[in-house]
Amino acid sequence: MNKKYILALDQGTTSSRAILYDHQGNICSVAQKEFKQYFPQPGWVEHDPRDIYSSQISVAAEAMARLHIHDNAVAAIGITNQRETTIVWDRKSGEPVYNAIVWQDRRTSSYCDHLKAAGHQQMIKNKTGLEIDAYFSATKIKWILDHIAGARDKANRGELAFGTVDSWLIWKLTNGNHHLTDFSNASRTMLFNIHSLEWDEDLLRLFDIPVSMLPEVRANSGLFAYTDSIIFSTKIPITGVAGDQQAAMFGQLCIRKGMVKNTYGTGCFIMMNTGDKAITSKNRLLTTIGWQLNGKTTYALEGSVFVGGAVIQWLRDGMGFFSHTKSSEKLAASVPDTGGVYFVPAFTGLGAPYWNQDARGLIYGLTRGTTKAHLTRAALESIAFQSYDVIKAMEKDAGITIEKLRVDGGAAANDLLMQIQADLLQTTVQRPSILESTSLGAAYFAGLGIGYWSNVDEIASQWKLQKEFSPKGSPENSIIKVKEWHKAIEMIQQP
Ligand code: ADP
């Protein structure tokens, strides 16, 4: 039998990627293409849904061409995507009625303030696990129905469809024959009841969205549909779908309760598997669906840090400290500590667990002896401190002490940062050999869905450690440093 691959489509915020995985979970081919970002007004971010599809299809073709395979060598397709981004299209023509409103878009934030003032927060949190925020799809759908001429009438007549990016790709790949999504993407719309696992009637009424617009929600792994496009010559089964962070958690094999992953990218995205329990956070973390597999729903707590690796970019671009982010490690390692400097990179406010939109950055503890090296070390520490605060909030909410932290993302390549994280948490940090957790997770869902891999144990045995960081510093030192960090946090919280 000819060798077969799983094709993971990783549709991100700035680029579309396609990765072919083999049976051992090795990356065999990768292609990536950036697409245009539209900023029509301050705070607005849009994509052209046609670009999303065409860039995704072109990288799929490129990844196959690079490996010299035809699409009959693809056993199944897995899709993972930027979450919450909202597309509304005409069912008959298949044309979007408006651009995709991207998760970052803030146009509905004053409407969200109004919803909070009207006292809807608790009800929405109870049903969806989310804080009321413009990120999530619900207010974006409402915006399109309220602002695009004729859209609401068409929607009321059942002529429009809504989808997150996964739904849009499935629709396009099946030539408009299937309107589907998965539990992880549905749980980010602010319309889905994560306990009853249904679109919520009360929320649909509140946002004035007809139920006919919504996709059918499926488990993450299993047959969604076969492709039916002119692009592929064979009908390829789409058998795995998950939002990007959930896919990353699965790709990291955080498959047991209490396992945590942190993706160190521009921001940091932290997720804890909380098993079959949806834990309501007392620290304003989000409760979300991780995935549904073999009829069992796995929930997660999620928290994010707004400025993670971006603080290193700022030192590079804003301060001119070095020309490559990689150099931050050598520079910071040239000093044994920060010399008492603490750096809170609250450039855009503070996220979980502080949630202060108005907070701004602070560097404290400067002396005549402070150098670029100390500041860079303090910047790396700030990434670890912020992640520490989220993880501690998760531990409190879940009543679980984490044993290990699994890491990925661009800044996870920094050994010093990983050691600092291990010391602060007094927990082992594990970096896998494949840092492509997101696409790997999508591939795993797809492969499990078609029997390419027989069960989770089989793929769990593929997870390979590249490097492990055990705590080296003393627990006392970690406690002292965290205290100082929290002092700095308090300083910027003062009015
Ligand atoms: P994203 O997917 O959010 O674009 P990536 O996972 O590609 O992010 O990671 C890029 C981020 O990681 C950038 O903010 C960059 O500053 C940071 N970064 C990359 N390499 C390093 C490094 N060796 N040390 C510290 N930060 C790094």
Side-chain angles (χ1 to χ4, degrees):
M1 198 180 88
N2 289 335
K3 191 167 174 180
K4 292 260 186 182
Y5 302 85
I6 300 287
L7 173 62
L9 304 180
D10 179 0
Q11 206 303 306
T13 309
T14 56
S15 72
S16 295
R17 292 153 52 75
I19 299 102
L20 284 159
Y21 285 96
D22 69 10
H23 202 258
Q24 283 71 46
N26 297 312
I27 295 174
C28 301
S29 180
V30 183
Q32 175 165 4
K33 190 170 180 183
E34 291 196 5
F35 55 87
K36 196 166 167 182
Q37 310 282 313
Y38 294 88
F39 306 104
Q41 289 190 32
W44 293 27
V45 189
E46 296 179 1
H47 296 154
D48 183 336
R50 286 163 288 225
D51 287 351
I52 289 180
Y53 177 61
S54 63
S55 60
Q56 193 61 72
I57 279 298
S58 74
V59 290
E62 194 182 330
M64 289 189 279
R66 280 172 188 238
L67 197 60
H68 306 290
I69 60 163
H70 292 291
D71 47 27
N72 59 10
V74 175
I77 290 176
I79 297 175
T80 181
N81 56 290
Q82 49 167 325
R83 301 175 304 172
E84 297 118 11
T85 295
T86 297
I87 306 174
V88 175
W89 66 92
D90 187 307
R91 286 182 184 278
K92 219 183 278 162
S93 68
E95 289 297 309
V97 302
Y98 189 71
N99 268 347
I101 303 184
V102 179
W103 58 274
Q104 299 152 321
D105 190 293
R106 306 305 297 166
R107 80 185 64 188
T108 56
S109 57
S110 57
Y111 174 58
C112 288
D113 290 342
H114 158 80
L115 288 171
K116 283 183 222 165
H120 294 298
Q121 179 61 75
Q122 202 53 47
M123 180 269 289
I124 289 184
K125 187 158 184 146
N126 289 345
K127 287 174 182 283
T128 67
L130 305 174
E131 298 281 324
I132 293 176
D133 195 279
Y135 281 138
F136 307 112
S137 316
T139 63
K140 298 181 196 290
I141 305 172
K142 179 173 164 54
W143 189 94
I144 291 174
L145 295 184
D146 288 345
H147 291 82
I148 305 308
R152 186 165 290 287
D153 287 342
K154 277 188 160 182
N156 288 337
R157 290 199 299 266
E159 293 170 18
L160 297 187
F162 149 76
T164 39
V165 168
D166 54 310
S167 292
W168 170 245
L169 289 177
I170 294 171
W171 174 274
K172 295 298 283 181
L173 287 167
T174 62
N175 201 17
N177 283 319
H178 294 275
H179 186 207
L180 306 170
T181 190
D182 76 280
F183 284 109
S184 70
N185 274 297
S187 73
R188 316 298 295 188
T189 57
M190 216 159 81
L191 294 172
F192 194 69
N193 188 315
I194 61 169
H195 310 285
S196 68
L197 304 179
E198 287 166 339
W199 297 115
D200 190 277
E201 280 176 22
D202 297 336
L203 295 175
L204 290 171
R205 207 170 308 120
L206 176 66
F207 294 108
D208 202 5
I209 295 171
V211 69
S212 61
M213 289 183 76
L214 303 176
E216 184 191 326
V217 190
R218 296 270 182 91
N220 295 76
S221 191
L223 181 65
F224 280 74
Y226 285 90
T227 59
D228 182 14
S229 70
I230 49 167
I231 310 295
F232 297 113
S233 58
T234 49
K235 290 186 183 295
I236 306 173
I238 302 167
T239 52
V241 179
D244 53 10
Q245 295 311 317
Q246 282 92 339
M249 181 161 81
F250 197 66
Q252 283 275 26
L253 273 315
C254 289
I255 48 179
R256 285 190 312 278
K257 186 175 158 185
M259 293 182 83
V260 182
K261 72 94 190 170
N262 190 1
T263 302
Y264 296 82
T266 307
C268 297
F269 293 92
I270 304 156
M271 268 203 166
M272 174 190 269
N273 180 329
T274 62
D276 57 6
K277 282 209 178 57
I279 294 175
T280 303
S281 174
K282 295 194 174 70
N283 297 286
R284 301 185 66 189
L285 300 171
L286 305 178
T287 309
T288 200
I289 296 176
W291 49 77
Q292 195 189 75
L293 202 57
N294 304 325
K296 269 174 60 185
T297 307
T298 295
Y299 290 91
L301 278 170
E302 174 172 335
S304 38
V305 168
F306 298 151
V307 176
V311 69
I312 303 301
Q313 274 170 331
W314 179 75
L315 290 182
R316 181 193 65 190
D317 305 335
M319 306 303 278
F321 275 19
F322 32 77
S323 35
H324 300 287
T325 48
K326 197 169 186 277
S327 313
S328 61
E329 181 167 354
K330 202 164 163 211
L331 183 59
S334 70
V335 288
D337 52 46
T338 66
V341 175
Y342 289 82
F343 183 171
V344 189
F347 299 151
T348 53
L350 282 173
Y354 298 102
W355 294 105
N356 183 342
Q357 284 200 48
D358 304 319
R360 288 297 174 265
L362 167 88
I363 297 175
Y364 123 94
L366 296 175
T367 66
R368 184 68 180 79
T370 304
T371 64
K372 280 183 193 175
H374 294 110
L375 288 174
T376 304
R377 197 170 175 113
L380 287 177
E381 282 192 352
S382 79
I383 302 173
F385 278 130
Q386 294 179 90
S387 300
Y388 170 97
D389 283 337
V390 173
I391 291 166
K392 287 292 156 187
M394 281 178 175
E395 287 186 335
K396 243 189 251 166
D397 280 335
I400 292 171
T401 307
I402 68 160
E403 286 167 27
K404 288 183 175 99
L405 176 68
R406 291 193 167 174
V407 300
D408 51 61
N414 189 312
D415 283 4
L416 178 62
L417 170 60
M418 295 301 102
Q419 187 59 51
I420 291 170
Q421 190 72 82
D423 289 343
L424 275 182
L425 287 168
Q426 291 290 303
T427 296
T428 304
V429 170
Q430 295 186 318
R431 187 170 64 201
S433 52
I434 292 190
L435 287 175
E436 285 277 355
S437 315
T438 307
S439 63
L440 183 59
Y444 281 159
F445 280 129
L448 287 171
I450 189 107
Y452 185 81
W453 290 296
S454 44
N455 53 44
V456 175
D457 291 338
E458 185 184 351
I459 54 174
S461 67
Q462 290 184 358
W463 189 88
K464 276 194 214 82
L465 184 72
Q466 185 260 336
K467 194 163 177 178
E468 190 164 78
F469 302 85
S470 310
K472 283 190 188 141
S474 72
E476 296 75 28
N477 195 36
S478 159
I479 292 167
I480 294 167
K481 292 194 69 112
V482 168
K483 240 188 209 157
E484 286 297 311
W485 162 257
H486 286 156
K487 232 197 252 172
I489 293 277
E490 261 167 46
M491 283 180 205
I492 60 170
Q493 303 260 57
Q494 314 280 324

Coordinates of all heavy atoms in Angstrom, one line a residue, residues 338 340-344 362-366 375 378 381-382 385 477 480-486 488:
T338 N 18.5 40.0 37.7 CA 18.0 41.3 37.1 C 18.6 42.4 37.9 O 18.3 43.6 37.6 CB 16.5 41.4 37.0 OG1 16.0 41.4 38.4 CG2 15.9 40.2 36.3
G340 N 17.6 43.3 40.7 CA 16.5 43.9 41.4 C 15.5 44.7 40.5 O 14.6 45.4 41.0
V341 N 15.7 44.5 39.2 CA 14.7 45.2 38.3 C 13.5 44.3 38.0 O 13.6 43.1 37.8 CB 15.5 45.5 37.0 CG1 14.5 46.1 35.9 CG2 16.6 46.5 37.2
Y342 N 12.3 44.9 38.1 CA 11.1 44.2 37.7 C 10.4 45.0 36.6 O 10.4 46.2 36.6 CB 10.2 44.1 38.9 CG 10.7 43.1 39.9 CD1 11.7 43.4 40.8 CD2 10.3 41.8 39.8 CE1 12.2 42.5 41.7 CE2 10.8 40.8 40.7 CZ 11.8 41.2 41.6 OH 12.3 40.2 42.4
F343 N 9.9 44.3 35.6 CA 9.4 44.9 34.4 C 8.0 44.4 34.2 O 7.8 43.2 34.0 CB 10.3 44.5 33.2 CG 10.0 45.1 31.9 CD1 10.9 44.9 30.8 CD2 8.8 45.8 31.6 CE1 10.7 45.5 29.6 CE2 8.6 46.3 30.4 CZ 9.5 46.2 29.4
V344 N 7.0 45.2 34.2 CA 5.6 44.8 33.9 C 5.2 45.3 32.6 O 4.9 46.5 32.4 CB 4.6 45.3 35.0 CG1 3.2 44.6 34.8 CG2 5.1 45.1 36.4
L362 N 5.5 49.2 33.4 CA 6.3 49.8 34.4 C 7.7 49.0 34.5 O 7.7 47.8 34.4 CB 5.6 49.6 35.8 CG 6.4 49.9 37.1 CD1 6.3 51.3 37.5 CD2 5.8 49.0 38.2
I363 N 8.7 49.8 34.7 CA 10.0 49.2 35.0 C 10.4 49.7 36.4 O 10.5 51.0 36.5 CB 11.1 49.5 34.0 CG1 10.7 48.9 32.6 CG2 12.4 48.9 34.4 CD1 11.6 49.2 31.4
Y364 N 10.7 48.9 37.3 CA 11.0 49.4 38.6 C 12.3 48.7 39.2 O 12.6 47.6 38.8 CB 9.7 49.3 39.5 CG 9.8 48.5 40.8 CD1 10.1 49.1 42.0 CD2 9.6 47.1 40.8 CE1 10.1 48.4 43.2 CE2 9.6 46.4 42.0 CZ 9.9 47.1 43.2 OH 9.9 46.4 44.4
G365 N 12.9 49.4 40.1 CA 14.2 48.9 40.7 C 15.4 49.3 40.0 O 16.5 48.7 40.1
L366 N 15.4 50.3 39.1 CA 16.5 50.7 38.3 C 17.6 51.3 39.3 O 17.3 52.0 40.2 CB 16.2 51.8 37.3 CG 15.2 51.4 36.2 CD1 14.8 52.6 35.3 CD2 15.8 50.3 35.3
L375 N 17.8 44.5 32.0 CA 16.4 44.8 31.5 C 15.9 43.7 30.7 O 14.7 43.3 30.8 CB 16.4 46.1 30.7 CG 16.6 47.4 31.5 CD1 16.8 48.6 30.6 CD2 15.4 47.6 32.5
A378 N 14.9 40.9 32.9 CA 13.6 41.3 33.6 C 12.5 41.1 32.6 O 11.4 40.7 33.0 CB 13.7 42.7 34.1
E381 N 11.8 37.5 32.5 CA 11.1 37.1 33.7 C 9.6 37.5 33.7 O 8.8 36.8 34.2 CB 11.8 37.8 34.9 CG 13.1 37.1 35.3 CD 13.6 37.6 36.7 OE1 13.0 38.5 37.3 OE2 14.5 36.9 37.2
S382 N 9.4 38.7 33.0 CA 8.0 39.1 33.0 C 7.0 38.2 32.3 O 5.9 38.0 32.7 CB 7.9 40.5 32.4 OG 7.9 40.4 31.0
F385 N 6.6 35.4 34.9 CA 5.7 35.9 36.0 C 4.2 35.9 35.6 O 3.4 35.5 36.4 CB 6.1 37.3 36.5 CG 7.3 37.3 37.4 CD1 8.4 38.2 37.2 CD2 7.3 36.6 38.6 CE1 9.4 38.3 38.0 CE2 8.4 36.6 39.4 CZ 9.5 37.5 39.2
N477 N 13.5 31.6 47.2 CA 13.9 32.6 46.2 C 12.7 32.9 45.3 O 12.4 34.1 45.0 CB 15.1 32.2 45.4 CG 15.7 33.4 44.7 OD1 15.7 34.5 45.2 ND2 16.2 33.2 43.5
I480 N 10.1 35.0 47.2 CA 10.5 36.4 47.3 C 10.3 37.2 46.0 O 9.8 38.3 46.0 CB 12.0 36.5 47.8 CG1 12.2 35.9 49.2 CG2 12.6 37.9 47.7 CD1 13.6 35.6 49.6
K481 N 10.7 36.5 44.9 CA 10.6 37.2 43.6 C 9.2 37.5 43.3 O 8.8 38.5 42.7 CB 11.3 36.4 42.5 CG 12.8 36.3 42.7 CD 13.5 35.8 41.5 CE 13.4 36.8 40.4 NZ 14.6 37.4 40.0
V482 N 8.3 36.5 43.5 CA 6.9 36.7 43.2 C 6.3 37.8 44.0 O 5.5 38.6 43.5 CB 6.1 35.3 43.4 CG1 4.6 35.6 43.3 CG2 6.6 34.3 42.3
K483 N 6.8 37.9 45.2 CA 6.3 39.0 46.1 C 6.6 40.4 45.5 O 5.8 41.3 45.4 CB 6.9 38.9 47.5 CG 5.9 38.7 48.6 CD 6.5 38.8 49.9 CE 5.7 37.9 50.9 NZ 6.4 37.5 52.0
E484 N 7.9 40.5 45.1 CA 8.3 41.7 44.5 C 7.6 42.0 43.2 O 7.2 43.2 42.9 CB 9.8 41.6 44.1 CG 10.7 41.7 45.3 CD 10.6 43.1 46.1 OE1 10.7 44.1 45.4 OE2 10.4 43.0 47.3
W485 N 7.3 41.0 42.4 CA 6.6 41.1 41.2 C 5.2 41.7 41.5 O 4.7 42.6 40.8 CB 6.5 39.8 40.4 CG 5.4 39.6 39.4 CD1 4.3 39.0 39.5 CD2 5.4 40.2 38.1 NE1 3.5 39.0 38.4 CE2 4.2 39.8 37.5 CE3 6.3 41.0 37.3 CZ2 3.9 40.1 36.2 CZ3 6.0 41.3 36.0 CH2 4.8 40.9 35.5
H486 N 4.6 41.1 42.5 CA 3.2 41.5 42.8 C 3.2 43.0 43.4 O 2.2 43.7 43.2 CB 2.5 40.5 43.8 CG 2.1 39.3 43.1 ND1 2.0 38.1 43.8 CD2 1.9 39.0 41.8 CE1 1.6 37.1 42.9 NE2 1.5 37.7 41.7
A488 N 5.1 45.2 42.1 CA 5.1 46.0 40.9 C 3.8 46.1 40.3 O 3.3 47.1 39.8 CB 6.2 45.4 39.9

